[in-house]
Amino acid sequence: MNIEDFDSVKRAAVAAIDQLLFDWFPNGVVEGSEFCVGSLSGEAGQSLRVHLKGERAGVWSDFSIDGEAGGDLISLYAAKERISQGRACAQLARDLGVSIHDKDGRKYIPAGQISALQKSPPAQAGKGVGAPAAPKKKQAKWEPILPIPDSALPYPKAHVVRGWPQMFWEYRDQEGRLLGVVYRFITSDGGKEVLPCVFARNEITGTCEWRWLQWREPRPLYLPRPLRENFEVLVVEGEKAADAAVELYGVQFDVVSWPGGGKAVKKVDWSPLAGRSCLFWADADAKRYKENHPTQAGEIMPETEQPGMKAMQWIAGELQGLGCRIQFVDIPEPGVQPDGWDVADLRDSGAGEAEFLAWINRRRPVWVAPAVELAAPVPSDSGDAADNVPDWVAGAPPELGDVPLPRAGAEPMDPQQIKSTVMVWGKYGVTPCRENVFYALMYDPRLQGIVAYDQFAELPMKVKPNPWGSPLGEWSETDDFYLGLYLAKNYGLTISSVGDIEKAVAQVARVNGFNPVTEFFESCAQAWDGTSRIEGAFSKYWGAEDSEYMRLVSTMFFVALAARAFNPGIKHDHAPVFEGGQGAGKSTALAVLGGEWYAETPFKMGDKDGYMAIQGILIYEIAELEQFNRSELTAVKAFMTNKNDRFREPYGRRMKNLPRRTVFAGTTNEGQYFKDTTGNRRFWPVACGRILLEQLKADREQLIGEAVARWREGVHWWPTPDQQRILIGPVQDDREIPDQWVGKLYDYVEGIDIDGKETNHKKDRVTARELLTRALHIEIGKLSSSKAETMRVSACMRKLGWEKKRDEKGAREYYYARPKPEAGTVQEVDYDIPV
């Protein structure tokens, strides 16, 4: 190779810089004009940075190892693979299809790329006139190899006919193993062509190579990132939309798509999503009826006939059968947006963060699969069914006419009519099965509407009087028993399996689903008088001192109530902590605000009972926060962070995975209660004064109504970094129980002697070893092996605003540097945005 070869490879590598970097470092992210990853090892982080644009494209620095750097992608690849730059250049030339020179100066294309990308099929001899016909050979069959072995890499970078792709996507399994690649090419007429490529084995010869063919069925899902436990899944159409969804909502959601478009949904393996909560974002298609349509030629088809929604509806039905909870994003009606508008178009539209958040919060009610008409039983030949009403002993099946599909509020029938026209019949009469229990509950006037599904509490509820006189409330095993007695007496149905009754009741309840919290919140929103109250709520009703901080946390708390009510599982891991003496009314005020959806029953954070205790609860009080020790408080913070509650009920057959609906609030009798020096950003202290309970009761609906309005306007329920640093952080620091070491370390670095007088021994730089031995007078030999003392010193120095650095010479010991005057003593904030 010569200098020209290096220059050619550098230029080709820069042209494919995005593709190469994500190939080498799948955990990397793009921030502005730089690609960031943890180090040359490829873990997530920001210490290794690569310029992406302009004259500096390819220039890189790895600050995780004392600033190792390079001026191009060849040197980066060499450092990553720990090989020479000459070898790195040759390998990149092979991958990119760049011609280089051998040691004798002859130009060639490195081996390996010719067969994968550019080899043309050999000319076939013997095809002239009079040439004997070649004997037919058995056509080779290629079987994809899954997962693809590492020895098969790299995969093709281009197509022999289509050339370089516009985009490509790696399909990987849950463990991150490569399954294949999907490429999108621009055709000569400006259209697009999507081609999958897999590593396959020839069944005849045993040869293995990359082939441009589809996976065998069932095909894999497209997972931009591995699925995480307890995360809601956002289902979109197409790999481009999936990548955009990860960019916008990847903190809150797992994202999936599938190969082949809307017509291939039945060929995909959907089982990895079993039991999850799924949100569907269908393409907003605007297809029109064809010109030969008899009545609606040229008109835009309704949403139910648009291809994107039809595909998503089929997937929803499939996933509901796998125990998934289904909701749909409320996309625009056909024609409002350009045909095929999706989450990628929203990202590229220049919309702001508030609009992104508003779209993901626009949800339709929980989706239930449409009822399916049952096939009619074979009619009896023993006369007119109307004159031969079947009886349980005779068992003559009825003749089924056009039976209406069961819906909430269906026209009621008497039991004999239900048996003769709707129920399923077997050899000996009406079949004792769950389907017939379902029909009885849907059509019998005495049973109709007695059970409905509380979508907030995730429970079937008795909402109307029932024939056996059970009080209204949660449906119980006793109700199953008495329903069985009613069916036996009135229909001759003896249901031997209580599971059949439970399943029928559950399905009927879902048909009659309701959400008492959102219904109440909607009524409050409609009744809101437009007066702003929530900003000053903590000051007015809880008696807290009015300040910019108090107005901020009061607004965020109330908006979070609306966000969690209407969008379960939304990220929210903060809680106000109401401070005041015993009997001040802190808990009572929370009970007034939460109403029937408030609770304070203590439980152990993180276990099954804890997850079960907060179901159906909007406001949960963490009482007497000061009594938690450090490890218990850490468990509280971890529990608050969860966006989903996953648990198995006693005697339950399946794990439940429910999106978090609860907002937490703490109470304490103390003024200092934070024992963790590493940060307490999840708690917002509120020093209470006189609490006005009666006025809070009177204004409760107005407060909730305004909270809903503010949430719909896009008001944040989380602080910005500046708000956390300037307004919230200082208040949290005031509640921290001080570490006695902070004062000792401060005196030492400031040169203050034991009598409190300043000396000339002020420090601008100090090591942890020096602080431990000279400031705290701890012998090195008595330090614990767990480095607890060193970590405690680090926390104290961070409190004082000192910056931790590492010496580049000698033993490369860590040290602390005095902050510059303009830098202040502010800590970095661990800040998470919910979207």
Side-chain angles (χ1 to χ4, degrees), residues 275-509:
R276 288 179 173 265
S277 179
C278 297
L279 178 63
F280 286 76
W281 191 321
D283 289 0
D285 295 323
K287 300 290 189 295
R288 298 178 180 271
Y289 288 109
K290 295 182 178 180
E291 294 301 327
N292 59 357
H293 193 279
T295 59
Q296 297 171 287
E299 295 181 11
I300 295 179
M301 297 187 294
E303 182 183 84
T304 54
E305 296 187 41
Q306 295 291 344
M309 183 57 73
K310 288 176 67 175
M312 289 295 195
Q313 293 274 0
W314 188 92
I315 300 170
E318 185 77 1
L319 291 181
Q320 192 172 65
L322 294 174
C324 295
R325 179 182 183 274
I326 307 297
Q327 273 191 287
F328 277 75
V329 171
D330 189 18
I331 60 173
E333 295 181 2
V336 174
Q337 294 284 359
D339 182 38
W341 183 88
D342 60 12
V343 64
D345 295 307
L346 173 64
R347 178 199 59 185
D348 298 338
S349 67
E353 183 180 308
E355 188 171 350
F356 297 149
L357 181 61
W359 269 104
I360 204 68
N361 287 333
R362 291 178 55 174
R363 300 192 182 193
R364 298 177 182 179
V366 176
W367 186 85
V368 179
V372 181
E373 290 195 45
L374 298 176
V378 179
S380 169
D381 56 2
S382 59
D384 189 354
D387 297 328
N388 293 274
V389 176
D391 107 346
W392 184 252
V393 178
E399 186 170 343
L400 185 62
D402 294 328
V403 178
L405 295 177
R407 292 286 188 271
E411 189 68 28
M413 309 178 191
D414 62 65
Q416 200 66 23
Q417 186 180 8
I418 296 171
K419 288 170 61 177
S420 62
T421 61
V422 178
M423 285 187 168
V424 180
W425 284 69
K427 182 177 180 181
Y428 299 104
V430 180
T431 304
C433 60
R434 62 183 181 184
E435 288 77 10
N436 284 338
V437 178
F438 173 83
Y439 282 130
L441 286 165
M442 292 299 297
Y443 289 110
D444 189 314
R446 298 188 66 193
L447 300 178
Q448 205 172 44
I450 65 171
V451 62
Y453 196 74
D454 184 336
Q455 295 165 349
F456 185 80
E458 297 279 350
L459 291 171
M461 307 291 288
K462 291 166 288 184
V463 295
K464 291 183 180 180
N466 49 73
W468 48 93
S470 178
L472 302 184
E474 183 180 346
W475 187 276
S476 67
E477 294 180 1
T478 301
D479 297 301
D480 289 333
F481 176 79
Y482 282 109
L483 175 59
L485 288 180
Y486 180 90
L487 295 174
K489 180 178 179 180
N490 292 276
Y491 293 85
L493 283 172
T494 305
I495 310 298
S496 58
S497 171
V498 70
D500 287 342
I501 295 180
E502 292 175 347
K503 292 174 183 177
V505 169
Q507 187 57 39
V508 172

Side-chain angles (χ1 to χ4, degrees), residues 533-552:
R533 294 179 179 86
I534 63 173
E535 188 179 46
F538 285 175
S539 300
K540 179 177 180 180
Y541 305 102
W542 276 267
E545 181 180 352
D546 185 32
S547 65
E548 187 177 357
Y549 159 78
M550 200 60 66
R551 291 191 293 272
L552 173 64

Side-chain angles (χ1 to χ4, degrees), residues 643-655:
K643 296 190 294 184
N644 292 274
D645 298 319
R646 186 173 178 81
F647 59 94
R648 188 194 303 275
E649 292 179 316
Y651 309 108
R653 292 185 292 272
R654 294 182 181 176
M655 293 289 292

Side-chain angles (χ1 to χ4, degrees), residues 23 44-45 74 89 93 198 221 227 311 335 374 433 435 470 474 576 618:
D23 282 350
I74 296 176
C89 182
V198 299
L221 290 170
L227 297 174
L374 298 176
C433 60
E435 288 77 10
S470 178
E474 183 180 346
L618 179 63

